[in-house]
Amino acid sequence: MSILLQVLVFFLILLSTALVVGIPVVLASPGQWERLKNVIYSGSAAWSALVIIIGVFNSFVK
């Protein structure tokens, strides 16, 4: 069970890094926001869902 938690946290770290780097790049590039805003919103929703899943899953791991 703890290996699954570690994998989830690893994916959270990867997604967080991608969003921290990607969002400012998209916002600074002219015209890219309109093209990639659905990707940014989807990544943010996935990040939020992953945080909630990790929190719930963590309550079951000792």
Side-chain angles (χ1 to χ4, degrees), residues 2-50:
S2 76
I3 291 176
L4 181 59
L5 180 64
Q6 290 175 355
V7 169
L8 288 172
V9 170
F10 177 73
F11 284 131
L12 179 66
I13 292 169
L14 285 179
L15 184 58
S16 296
T17 303
L19 289 173
V20 163
V21 171
I23 290 174
V25 169
V26 168
L27 292 175
S29 302
Q32 294 298 315
W33 172 248
E34 291 81 18
R35 193 171 67 90
L36 295 174
K37 69 179 173 182
N38 290 334
V39 174
I40 299 296
Y41 288 148
S42 298
S44 300
W47 185 88
S48 300
L50 201 51

